[in-house]
Amino acid sequence: MASATRLRRFAYYGAVVVGTAAALGFTSAHNSSSANPFSRDRRSSGEISAITERMSSTGWRVPNRNTQEAALRGSSEVSPFDVLVIGGGATGCGVALDAATRGLRVGLVERDDYSAGTSSRSTKLVHGGVRYLEKAFWQFDYGQLKLVFHALEERARILHNAPHLCNALPTMTPCYEWWEIPYYWAGLKLYDLVAGSRMLHMSRYFSRNESMEAFPTLAQQNALHKTLKGTVVYYDGQMNDSRLNVAIACTAALAGAVVLNHAEAVSLKKDEVTGNVTGARIRNKLTGKEFDVHAKVVINAAGPFCDEVRKMADKNAPQIISPSSGVHVVLPDYYSPDHMGLIVPKTKDGRVIFMLPWLGRTVAGTTDSATNLTMLPEAHEEEIEFILDAISDYLVVKVRRSDVMSAWSGIRPLATDPNVKGTDTASISRDHVVCLDSDGLVTVTGGKWTTYRSMAEDAVDVAIKSGSLQPMNGCITQALPLVGANGWDPSSFTVLAQNYVRMKRSYGGKIVPGAMDTAAAKHLVQTYGGLAPQVALIAQLEGLGKRLAHGYPYLEAEVAYCARNEYCESAVDFIARRARLAFLDTDAANRALPRVIEILAAEHRWDRARRKAEMADAITFLETFKFSRNAQFDDGKHRAR
C-alpha cells in the first residue's frame, strides 16, 4: 500500500514538474534550435573575449601580494573602491569576479586563505540536489523545486567554465525492494527532465549483474537481509572545490580585482553623518600592520561568520545564520570503483550518505547537525562512526576505523529567520539570502557551492542599486572561463608526458632526470588545466620534479608555482587548498610538510623563526583531521588498530 502511494504521488507531482519545467523554459524542447545550453549568454561574448584576451596578455600571471596590498592602501575617502568584499570563499571570490568584470573597482580581503573555511570542506559535488527534488515532492514545496531548477542551470555553467577541475560522475542508487526500482527510476528521470538540455547523461536502470560489475564492492544483501534487485544510476558533477575557489580568486585578480588573503577586517568604518558603512580597518595577519580601505559599498560574504561582520556594523543585528556541521571521511580507493559513486538514499535516521571516488580515494559523507562556530572545526568520533555504520550496510568490504585516512568537518552557513525557533538544520532551505541593512552593508549568505556564481550576481546587483554604482556592462560570468580553462584539453597530458622530464634531486644532492609519467602528467592537467606546462617547466628547469609524498602525484614544482602564481602564503595553504593532501591522507601531509616548508621558505625568504612557526601551525591544523592514528574510540565494529 505504501509503495503504491509513493508511485501515485510521483506520477501526480511528475506532471506538475513537467508543466513547471516547460513554463520556466528548462526543458530541452524550450530551445531546440540550439544544442548549446549557453546560447542565452552569447550576448556577453564580446566582453568575455576582451577580458580573456587581457588576462592572457599577462601570461596568466596575477599581480603579486605587495602590489595588491599597495592598491588596497591606496584607496581614500575621495577615491574609494566601488565595492569591498569581506570573505574569500566561493561566494566572496565570485562577487569580486562578477563586480570586476562589470568594470567596477573592487577590493577583497580574506582573514585566512581562499577556501579556508566551508568552501574547501564540501562533498565535492556540483549538483542540482536529488534529495531536494524528493523533498519538493513529498512536501509539495515549490521553493525547493525552483532551487533544483536553478542549481542544475548553474551546474552546467561551472562544468563549462572550469572543465579541468570538474567532471561528470555517475552515481548508483541501490534497490533492495522491488518497489524501489520504479520509485527511484521515476524520480531520477524527473531529475533528467528538470535538467533539460543541460543534462549530463541520461539516468538508467542497471540489473543486479550489471550493478555488481560496475560496483564490485556493493553488498548483494543489505543489513535487513534483503537481496539486491538492481540499481538506478544518474549523473551529477564533481569538482576539486578549493582548487576551483582559488581559480575564481585568481581570475578575479586577473580581471582587475584587488584581492588579499591573510588580511582580516577588524572593524567597519562608517560615515559620521549618514551612518552608512564606508569601508573597513584591515590587519595584514602576516605582518601585523593595519590600514584602512575605503569603499562605496561593503559586501559581507563571510560565510558562517557573516553575523560577526554584521555585528561590527550594528552590535544589535539579529542573527541570520544557523551553523550546521557536515563531516566527511576519506577511505582507500578499494572502497569504490574509479568512476562510479554510491548514494545511500536513506540511513537508519533518514539521512542521505554519498560515497564517491575523488582524486584516487573514496570520500564518504555527510552529516547534518547544529554546531558552534570555530575557525578549526573537528569531526567528532560519533559522526565518523555514523558514516562508517551507514556505508557498511551497503558494502561487502569490512569497514574499519583504521582505514580512515582523513576526516574533517565543515560548517554550512544555513540562512534562517532569527524569529523561528528550532535547530533542526536538515530542514532549513539551502537557498541563499541577500540582505541590505539600513547602514548600507550588503550580506550574501546561505545557498550552496553550485550556486556561488548566481549568489554573487545577486549580491552585486543589490550593491549597484544601493550604492548608485556605474558598471560598464551587465553580468558576464555565466560563460566566463576561469584560469586554466583556456588551452585545456583532456588529452593534453600526453603532450606533457612526451615533452617534459621531472628533474629530481637525489639524496646525494645530484640532479637526475625522471620520466614525466602518465599519473603526474594527468594530475598536472587536471589541476592546472592549460597552465600545466608552466608547472612542468619548473619541474624540469629547477630540479623540482620529485614527488612530495609516496603514492601521490603532487610535485615539488607545484609548491613553487603556487607561491608565485596562486597567493600560497603558508604551508597549510598548500597542503590543504592548493594540493589536497590534508584532505586525502593526513599522514602523507605530515610527511610532506618539511619539504613544503623548505620550498616556501626559499620562495618567500622566511627566516628560521618563521619556518618553525609554519611547522607548528601546520601540525595544529592537521590534528583537527581525525585519521586513523588519532582515533578515539573502539566499539568492536570499526577498530582503530
Side-chain angles (χ1 to χ4, degrees), residues 160-207:
H160 174 269
N161 295 341
H164 56 303
L165 297 172
C166 306
N167 58 274
L169 177 70
T171 302
M172 183 174 283
T173 308
C175 303
Y176 291 93
E177 299 275 5
W178 284 116
W179 67 263
E180 290 178 329
I181 295 174
Y183 178 79
Y184 291 124
W185 183 89
L188 293 170
K189 284 299 178 185
L190 287 173
Y191 194 58
D192 293 343
L193 175 65
V194 172
S197 61
R198 293 166 170 82
M199 179 175 59
L200 300 177
H201 296 282
M202 188 173 292
S203 61
R204 57 159 292 197
Y205 166 72
F206 276 35
S207 69

Side-chain angles (χ1 to χ4, degrees), residues 145-163:
L145 183 59
K146 285 179 62 180
L147 180 62
V148 176
F149 278 137
H150 178 60
L152 285 169
E153 184 174 41
E154 291 301 316
R155 179 188 72 177
R157 285 175 169 151
I158 290 179
L159 268 66
H160 174 269
N161 295 341

Side-chain angles (χ1 to χ4, degrees), residues 144-352:
Q144 291 279 347
L145 183 59
K146 285 179 62 180
L147 180 62
V148 176
F149 278 137
H150 178 60
L152 285 169
E153 184 174 41
E154 291 301 316
R155 179 188 72 177
R157 285 175 169 151
I158 290 179
L159 268 66
H160 174 269
N161 295 341
H164 56 303
L165 297 172
C166 306
N167 58 274
L169 177 70
T171 302
M172 183 174 283
T173 308
C175 303
Y176 291 93
E177 299 275 5
W178 284 116
W179 67 263
E180 290 178 329
I181 295 174
Y183 178 79
Y184 291 124
W185 183 89
L188 293 170
K189 284 299 178 185
L190 287 173
Y191 194 58
D192 293 343
L193 175 65
V194 172
S197 61
R198 293 166 170 82
M199 179 175 59
L200 300 177
H201 296 282
M202 188 173 292
S203 61
R204 57 159 292 197
Y205 166 72
F206 276 35
S207 69
R208 182 172 178 272
N209 289 339
E210 288 176 313
S211 301
M212 297 309 301
E213 183 178 349
F215 206 115
T217 55
L218 183 63
Q220 297 186 44
Q221 195 175 70
N222 67 8
L224 299 176
H225 305 291
K226 301 286 187 178
T227 303
L228 181 70
K229 305 300 189 296
T231 60
V232 182
V233 174
Y234 74 99
Y235 288 79
D236 248 326
Q238 189 177 48
M239 63 176 169
N240 188 336
D241 51 6
S242 68
R243 291 291 318 169
L244 184 57
N245 197 153
V246 170
I248 299 166
C250 291
T251 307
L254 288 167
V258 180
V259 301
L260 193 68
N261 56 350
H262 300 284
E264 181 177 10
V266 294
S267 63
L268 296 181
K269 300 178 66 63
K270 284 191 172 184
D271 186 281
E272 295 181 356
V273 177
T274 65
N276 284 348
V277 175
T278 58
R281 181 74 175 173
I282 307 300
R283 178 186 297 128
N284 183 331
K285 296 184 71 176
L286 300 182
T287 65
K289 296 181 180 180
E290 295 187 1
F291 55 93
D292 291 333
V293 176
H294 301 266
K296 297 175 184 177
V297 180
V298 174
I299 297 181
N300 170 17
F305 298 95
C306 73
D307 281 331
E308 289 185 10
V309 177
R310 295 178 71 245
K311 289 183 183 296
M312 288 182 190
D314 178 7
K315 63 181 181 181
N316 296 317
Q319 183 171 317
I320 64 172
I321 289 297
S322 180
S324 167
S325 170
V327 170
H328 295 82
V329 302
V330 170
L331 299 160
D333 56 352
Y334 56 74
Y335 272 77
S336 64
D338 289 341
H339 302 292
M340 179 67 74
L342 180 75
I343 180 173
V344 177
K346 192 172 184 179
T347 60
K348 293 174 182 177
D349 65 350
R351 303 189 210 180
V352 171

Side-chain angles (χ1 to χ4, degrees), residues 179 306 357 408 537 541 551 585:
W179 67 263
C306 73
W408 73 87
L537 195 62
L541 298 182
D585 188 335

